[in-house]
Amino acid sequence: MIERVSRRFLDYLRLELGKLGIDDISPSQVMVVLTIGQGEVAVRDLLDRGHYGGSNASYNLKQLVENGYLERSASPRDRRLARISLSLKGQMLCERLRLLDETSQFGPRTDGGNDIDLLTTHDTLRRLEQWWNDSLRYGGVLIASCMSYSFIAQDLVNSLL
């Protein structure tokens, strides 16, 4: 369920990029840009923070630099380490998406709306992620426990849809 929701979000993002007339960046690459945010970040930290991996991440970073969304430089302490930051084009894209998000049905509300449900879902998914991380780091995962957490997350996602 989580994977399907994630794919639908990327499909939605692709649609919105098309409406904005942006065709030189993929939804996955947009997620990289949004993960970087303001400031400068080491490529290694970005990969850890965004859970990107392998050659796909390198390809996306290269494309983002070539298309002008990112600026890449060597670390002042160790020239072998790359540091990246958003270019002006990348910052403008983030701002346009932020404005789009504010005007969507999931943007800020004055009546409370589904805010509590969304916060509860987010909190549950973060706890689930932490539980899985801890289980992998400190010992095996019990399949029955994993399934019960998966059902909880699925129920939360279904209640929001």
Side-chain angles (χ1 to χ4, degrees):
M1 173 60 78
I2 294 169
E3 182 64 29
R4 286 193 309 263
V5 170
S6 176
R7 281 191 303 243
R8 291 295 72 87
F9 174 72
L10 292 177
D11 291 341
Y12 168 75
L13 193 51
R14 180 178 288 108
L15 178 72
E16 293 301 327
L17 288 171
K19 288 178 185 177
L20 294 171
I22 299 172
D23 62 359
D24 62 345
I25 187 170
S26 72
S28 296
Q29 291 170 340
V30 169
M31 297 307 295
V32 172
V33 168
L34 293 173
T35 301
I36 293 170
Q38 298 302 315
E40 189 177 63
V41 65
V43 171
R44 181 75 233 156
D45 294 339
L46 173 69
L47 298 179
D48 289 342
R49 187 185 311 167
H51 309 289
Y52 311 107
S55 61
N56 191 35
S58 297
Y59 172 80
N60 280 333
L61 291 175
K62 181 180 178 217
Q63 291 295 113
L64 288 167
V65 170
E66 287 176 2
N67 289 331
Y69 290 98
L70 298 181
E71 295 174 352
R72 185 178 184 129
S73 62
S75 169
R77 288 190 207 106
D78 186 346
R79 301 207 39 87
R80 296 171 296 172
L81 301 176
R83 303 209 40 94
I84 53 176
S85 60
L86 296 182
S87 66
L88 181 58
K89 184 177 180 180
Q91 292 171 17
M92 289 173 42
L93 174 64
C94 287
E95 181 61 21
R96 289 176 81 182
L97 292 173
R98 186 188 63 76
L99 291 172
L100 177 69
D101 187 47
E102 285 180 358
T103 60
S104 78
Q105 68 182 26
F106 297 111
R109 293 176 183 67
T110 56
D111 65 354
N114 292 328
D115 291 345
I116 293 172
D117 290 340
L118 290 173
L119 290 173
T120 300
T121 300
H122 182 264
D123 181 56
T124 301
L125 291 173
R126 291 294 257 181
R127 286 192 346 249
L128 181 60
E129 177 188 30
Q130 186 62 52
W131 186 85
W132 283 335
N133 283 337
D134 290 348
S135 295
L136 290 170
R137 186 174 297 130
Y138 303 117
V141 176
L142 297 176
I143 297 299
S145 298
C146 221
M147 293 298 289
S148 69
Y149 273 101
S150 294
F151 289 126
I152 290 168
Q154 183 174 358
D155 287 344
L156 283 170
V157 171
N158 284 339
S159 71
L160 292 173
L161 300 177

